[in-house]
Amino acid sequence: MRIDEVRWNDEARDKIVEDADRVLREAVAELSTSMAGAESDAIFAELIARLKDRFIDFEPGPDIRRYADAIAAGDIEADQSAT
């Protein structure tokens, strides 16, 4: 077996992405309540703080900014039972 053949199987990959989405959803849902009315930059910083240690090589991208902006605008419909 070559080293470039070592990889997660498709089921594991799906689970990894599903878990990552859940972590992101939970952070967005929590901040949509606890930081309602806050400035987007403060929400962005808090999202980064909550996510950076949860992922290997975390680099915030435009998606994090989009969620911070949506929280600041009150555009998140958080159904807590879905988290």
Side-chain angles (χ1 to χ4, degrees):
M1 177 181 289
R2 296 186 335 248
I3 193 67
D4 63 349
E5 295 174 323
V6 176
R7 63 185 290 272
W8 297 109
N9 65 39
D10 289 339
E11 292 82 15
R13 285 177 182 271
D14 291 346
K15 176 75 167 97
I16 290 165
V17 171
E18 185 179 306
D19 289 347
D21 285 346
R22 180 185 44 75
V23 167
L24 176 60
R25 250 189 322 271
E26 288 173 354
V28 169
E30 289 171 14
L31 294 181
S32 71
T33 301
S34 67
M35 294 192 77
E39 294 289 326
S40 180
D41 288 342
I43 297 167
F44 181 76
E46 184 60 26
L47 277 171
I48 292 170
R50 289 179 182 226
L51 298 173
K52 69 179 179 153
D53 293 333
R54 303 286 305 266
F55 300 97
I56 298 169
D57 295 332
F58 176 76
E59 292 289 332
D63 50 344
I64 303 298
R65 172 54 67 186
R66 181 177 64 161
Y67 298 131
D69 291 345
I71 292 168
D75 290 339
I76 301 293
E77 297 177 20
D79 177 4
Q80 297 300 329
S81 66
T83 57

